[in-house]
Amino acid sequence: MPTSSGTNRSGPNPGLSLVIPCFNEGAMLPFLKERLLQSLPALKMSWEVILVDDGSRDDTFAQLAALHAADPRFKVLSFSRNFGHQTAVFAGLSFATGDFVAVMDADLQDPPEFLGTCIAKLNEGFDVVYAVRRQRKESFFKRVCYATFYRLLRAIAEVEIPLDSGDFCVMRQQVVAVMRQMPERDVFVRGLRAWSGFRQTGIEYNRAARAAGETKYPFRKLVRLAMDGVFAFSPFPLRLAAYIGLGIVALSVLAALTVLVWKIFNFQLFGHYPAEVPGWSSVVCLILFMGGIQLLMLGVMGEFIGRIYNEVKQRPRWIIRETCGLNGADSKSS
Ligand code: UDP
Ligand code: MG
């Protein structure tokens, strides 16, 4: 029966659950395993790694299953198809039972050694410690897009979503329990994390380049992620219609007054007297402008309606094809 969260309760809870989404990461997994086995013991606590295979088409699942067979602290959740990075992270979180829960990418852009620093900070009395990228090894164009997006989101979002922080973080179980309660389908994990409140803080780090394989985030998916962030956390696009409309009304009142004064006092404006017909180009410009604004606002409404429809359908957020080491995974979907 579909449930809203997975369960994973056999034996005592580990100190740390590390959630890692993997999509076609076959080339990456041997490096990942090695780095994790080097860095996790230094944390001096019991741990589990929940690897979410997001419908990979390469040998990712076979490698993950072998990893679990060799070391059952590596647990695997495999989706029936690609549901997207954010959904994979969210599914992993709903199975995470550790007192601390961390999220990390599979490509080692986020150094697992940094988790120790985050946990030390949590022990100073925080509930969420997220990593803030000091610099990124990406193309200039991508860096400009990221920087613009985070600043725009901060300006218009109703909760404060920290600048330049991704999903790489460590949270207390209490926070994850709150996030699990959130039933929405279009998840924007870093937004939900910020929305949950609690005591949050960021630590800066340098983001490395991907260690192997290529990016699983083409520009199209990045735009989609940015839109999930904006539309789920800000009513600003809806208000845009009212703001633009008000601005145009004010402009048109000014224009009408100008024409009136021009007619009454009969002076030359832009080289013409009122008696001359000034031509149709300005009228065409106005019609195009108004048409454009109306279409833009219709698009904004459409985006919200599409999202409402998506939520209302109440389809499962993901479908699990197979699991290794996760009890209660008889709930095949959520
Ligand atoms: N990923 C995923 N599903 C997707 C796309 C990406 O689970 O549909 C995972 C991917 O395996 C990686 C993480 O999300 O662990 C981030 O992806 P990637 O490193 O390719 O993104 P980038 O760092 O290039 O933005
Ligand atoms: Mg990456």
Side-chain angles (χ1 to χ4, degrees):
M1 204 192 81
T3 56
S4 62
S5 68
T7 45
N8 170 23
R9 313 232 172 243
S10 63
N13 296 345
L16 174 78
S17 298
L18 174 57
V19 172
I20 308 182
C22 307
F23 178 52
N24 295 341
E25 297 287 5
M28 206 41 246
L29 290 177
F31 300 104
L32 180 67
K33 173 192 165 197
E34 209 183 295
R35 266 292 272 290
L36 289 177
L37 288 176
Q38 273 169 12
S39 55
L40 291 180
L43 298 176
K44 305 259 182 298
M45 57 172 68
S46 57
W47 53 265
E48 65 174 1
V49 179
I50 301 180
L51 296 135
V52 184
D53 164 28
D54 185 12
S56 301
R57 284 178 280 270
D58 65 354
D59 64 344
T60 296
F61 180 69
Q63 284 199 47
L64 292 180
L67 196 57
H68 169 72
D71 185 341
R73 289 176 298 181
F74 290 93
K75 299 168 180 178
V76 187
L77 196 66
S78 184
F79 284 171
S80 65
R81 66 170 169 83
N82 181 250
F83 279 86
H85 171 219
Q86 297 289 300
T87 304
V89 170
F90 207 82
L93 288 179
S94 66
F95 280 87
T97 56
D99 300 330
F100 295 130
V101 181
V103 177
M104 194 183 100
D105 283 353
D107 58 2
L108 293 176
Q109 280 190 288
D110 312 321
E113 296 75 20
F114 193 68
L115 294 175
T117 317
C118 294
I119 291 173
K121 193 86 188 164
L122 282 174
N123 285 330
E124 286 175 21
F126 289 97
D127 301 306
V128 176
V129 175
Y130 50 83
V132 179
R133 295 148 191 158
R134 196 179 295 133
Q135 61 179 49
R136 293 171 173 269
K137 298 225 164 30
E138 309 273 8
S139 71
F140 177 72
F141 175 68
K142 254 192 164 179
R143 288 204 317 264
V144 170
C145 289
Y146 280 119
T148 318
F149 167 67
Y150 280 111
R151 274 141 198 89
L152 172 80
L153 190 62
R154 184 161 72 173
I156 66 175
E158 295 216 309
V159 287
E160 196 176 317
I161 299 176
L163 289 177
D164 303 314
S165 76
D167 297 326
F168 186 29
C169 68
V170 188
M171 301 172 272
R172 286 186 192 276
Q173 179 61 240
Q174 191 189 5
V175 181
V176 180
V178 169
M179 290 172 69
R180 263 186 224 125
Q181 307 285 318
M182 301 181 184
E184 59 208 82
R185 263 106 263 274
D186 283 328
V187 281
F188 184 61
V189 175
R190 64 205 74 165
L192 298 178
R193 190 182 69 205
W195 189 89
S196 67
F198 297 97
R199 283 159 298 175
Q200 309 211 358
T201 190
I203 311 184
E204 288 196 334
Y205 79 118
N206 291 328
R207 191 160 219 232
R210 178 177 256 281
E214 52 190 42
T215 177
K216 310 298 178 300
Y217 255 103
F219 195 66
R220 174 177 52 80
K221 276 196 186 174
L222 276 180
V223 171
R224 170 87 203 160
L225 179 69
M227 288 183 43
D228 282 347
V230 170
F231 284 91
F233 287 93
S234 168
F236 180 79
L238 270 180
R239 291 193 191 131
L240 206 61
Y243 294 150
I244 295 180
L246 267 180
I248 289 178
V249 168
L251 266 182
S252 57
V253 168
L254 262 183
L257 279 177
T258 313
V259 171
L260 206 67
V261 172
W262 183 40
K263 288 261 183 205
I264 294 171
F265 295 100
N266 196 29
F267 53 89
Q268 209 177 10
L269 187 69
F270 299 123
H272 293 283
Y273 285 97
E276 302 169 34
V277 180
W280 54 271
S281 48
S282 52
V283 176
V284 169
C285 284
L286 268 178
I287 291 175
L288 281 180
F289 180 65
M290 289 309 302
I293 298 283
Q294 280 165 359
L295 277 181
L296 172 75
M297 293 332 302
L298 267 183
V300 169
M301 306 285 167
E303 187 64 39
F304 275 101
I305 292 172
R307 281 161 192 272
I308 293 168
Y309 183 47
N310 195 29
E311 298 295 335
V312 164
K313 277 185 290 193
Q314 292 280 315
R315 293 215 183 118
R317 289 177 288 181
W318 58 75
I319 299 166
I320 295 171
R321 187 179 56 85
E322 212 163 325
T323 58
C324 311
L326 291 167
N327 297 322
D330 44 311
S331 49
K332 287 286 185 203
S333 58
S334 190

